[in-house]
Amino acid sequence: MQPWLTVVGIGEDGYGGLGKAARHALLGAAEVVGAPRQLALLPRCIRAVRTPWPSPFSLEPVLARRGTTLCVLASGDPMLFGVGASLARQVPAEELRVLPAPSSASLAAARLGWPLQEVTLLSTVARPLAVLNGHLHPGARLLVLSNDGGTPASLASLLVAAGFGASRLTVLEHLGGPLERRLDGLASAWSAVEVADLNLVAVEVAADPGTRALPVTCGLPDDAYRHDGQLTKRDVRAITLARLAPRPGELLWDVGAGCGSIGIEWMRAHPACRALAIEANAGRQAHIRHNRDALGVPGLQLVAGEAPAALEGLPAPDAIFIGGGVTDPGVLAQCWARLKPGGRLVANAVTLQSESTLVAFRADNGGSLTRITVAQAQPLGDFDTWRSALPITLLEAVKP
């Protein structure tokens, strides 16, 4: 089947900046769909019906016209956080043609002299700004697609609160068009100057004196979390995550999540990792909400409820961690039943009763048991001695 749908990337330079193929597609279209601002960029010679996107946004007006010669306008590169990527998930590749223009990220890198392959690109368009907290490493360069004109000031406030007020910001408005403008300043001194809704923020990350930048490895310091004592401690957490072995795109169930540390560090391992934190205690749910934003993974989904009942209807996971509740009737069995074939289950036990549950599970289903003992040197009078934490029994099992 010939492509019936053409997605045309258009920049701030409008119709004059389009190539021959894009112009030809627009001239031959029966209908053009786009944002009002984009539709206004088209000249009178485009005779097609001009249809703005509905509010709230929906792809339905396009998908309902399958087979019609149709064009969709998108900003810059439609496949970069754009409507082209959304349409590609719904329309077969042989029915879709995409004609990109330079993206705002490409234009920003050209203006700043930043090699694009060395830059992290983030979007806050209808997304939480807290995602930036996972990328605050001194020396990092970030390009942030803004949600609106208030994003630069909100971003500056976030950086200051996180101890990165020394970061340099560059706001680029209306890139590639006649109204292009550049604003520069430090996050700590960012003014309340009015900024156009169509903007991109470039960030050169720099830490304030005394700020501790968090590593990208698992096993974050315990004091990085807000908690009530229900926290898988740093060394045990690192071992646990190594056994869970996060891979891009996989889903984790963190059952009895406490303050959410396992799910959070699972998601910090790769941007495509996903996690559900199942927690019944209201106070700990509040800790999870705080920690997921503070540590840059606002996409962590909180499931408020007690396992196993709270597990009903959840998507099947690739890995499961049970940090609490292994002795609760049905929890371990339900988790094992719902785990995908080839998935990993890891459970930690501290008490004799929970340990015996893991021993019985291994006898029935296989797996391995590991005893973890961590000791720290602490003062004893004028000397030091080893103080051991409670030993942890770790079960690791892979589902056939």
Side-chain angles (χ1 to χ4, degrees):
M1 182 177 181
Q2 290 293 318
W4 58 271
L5 176 59
T6 300
V7 184
V8 175
I10 190 168
E12 284 289 291
D13 50 359
Y15 188 76
L18 297 179
K20 183 178 180 180
R23 293 188 182 194
H24 182 75
L26 289 167
L27 288 167
E31 184 177 0
V32 179
V33 180
R37 178 184 62 83
Q38 296 162 342
L39 293 172
L41 296 173
L42 300 181
R44 293 181 180 178
C45 64
I46 304 300
R47 302 294 186 182
V49 175
R50 305 184 187 197
T51 304
W53 289 110
S55 180
F57 178 82
S58 170
L59 297 176
E60 190 56 35
V62 172
L63 301 177
R65 291 166 175 74
R66 185 173 185 267
T68 305
T69 305
L70 188 67
C71 277
V72 167
L73 293 179
S75 296
D77 185 346
M79 304 304 288
L80 187 68
F81 292 109
V83 72
S86 299
L87 286 166
R89 299 185 188 103
Q90 303 288 331
V91 179
E94 61 271 16
E95 300 180 26
L96 175 67
R97 181 172 61 150
V98 180
L99 302 173
S103 68
S104 56
S106 294
L107 293 172
R111 301 291 188 271
L112 297 165
W114 291 3
L116 198 54
Q117 71 274 12
E118 298 175 6
V119 171
T120 299
L121 178 62
L122 303 170
S123 175
T124 63
V125 179
R127 294 176 173 87
L129 193 65
V131 71
L132 268 74
N133 282 323
H135 299 273
L136 299 183
H137 312 294
R141 287 175 167 177
L142 313 178
L143 292 179
V144 183
L145 305 180
S146 290
N147 188 56
D148 53 35
T151 300
S154 297
L155 193 157
S157 296
L158 180 148
L159 289 167
V160 170
F164 290 86
S167 301
R168 177 164 294 278
L169 306 186
T170 299
V171 176
L172 298 164
E173 299 177 339
H174 296 292
L175 275 163
L179 299 178
E180 182 173 320
R181 183 174 70 144
R182 172 173 175 163
L183 303 168
D184 293 277
L186 295 178
S188 59
W190 193 257
S191 65
V193 63
E194 185 175 348
V195 176
D197 284 339
L198 190 63
N199 74 84
L200 175 149
V201 185
V203 184
E204 292 184 273
V205 180
D208 299 334
T211 295
R212 180 185 61 185
L214 295 177
V216 297
T217 55
C218 60
L220 298 182
D222 292 344
D223 61 7
Y225 293 95
R226 181 181 292 177
H227 62 90
D228 62 358
Q230 291 298 311
L231 168 71
T232 302
K233 298 300 191 291
R234 181 180 193 174
D235 299 297
V236 176
R237 192 183 332 125
I239 295 170
T240 299
L241 282 154
R243 300 300 181 91
L244 287 167
R247 299 167 188 153
E250 288 190 329
L251 173 66
L252 170 76
W253 284 2
D254 184 0
V255 180
C259 70
S261 62
I262 294 294
I264 287 169
E265 295 193 27
W266 167 279
M267 290 186 65
R268 283 174 59 92
H270 191 275
C273 286
R274 299 167 295 137
L276 302 178
I278 297 96
E279 177 55 54
N281 183 280
R284 292 167 191 162
Q285 292 166 13
H287 292 326
I288 291 171
R289 294 187 188 96
H290 168 83
N291 291 329
R292 69 184 179 186
D293 287 352
L295 296 171
V297 289
L300 174 70
Q301 184 177 343
L302 174 61
V303 178
E306 189 169 358
L311 307 179
E312 292 296 328
L314 301 183
D318 302 282
I320 297 175
F321 172 66
I322 307 176
V326 294
T327 59
D328 293 344
V331 170
L332 199 50
Q334 177 76 345
C335 286
W336 186 246
R338 296 290 305 282
L339 184 64
K340 289 181 181 179
R344 291 91 64 201
L345 183 145
V346 175
N348 289 352
V350 177
T351 67
L352 292 174
Q353 290 77 12
S354 57
E355 182 181 88
S356 66
T357 301
L358 300 187
V359 171
F361 178 92
R362 189 185 72 148
D364 293 336
N365 301 284
S368 63
L369 292 170
T370 303
R371 174 62 65 88
I372 303 170
T373 302
V374 178
Q376 294 182 328
Q378 294 183 2
L380 179 64
D382 294 332
F383 300 92
D384 294 313
T385 191
W386 293 108
R387 300 288 186 185
S388 295
L390 292 173
I392 303 291
T393 300
L394 181 149
L395 166 73
E396 178 187 8
V398 177
K399 188 172 181 179

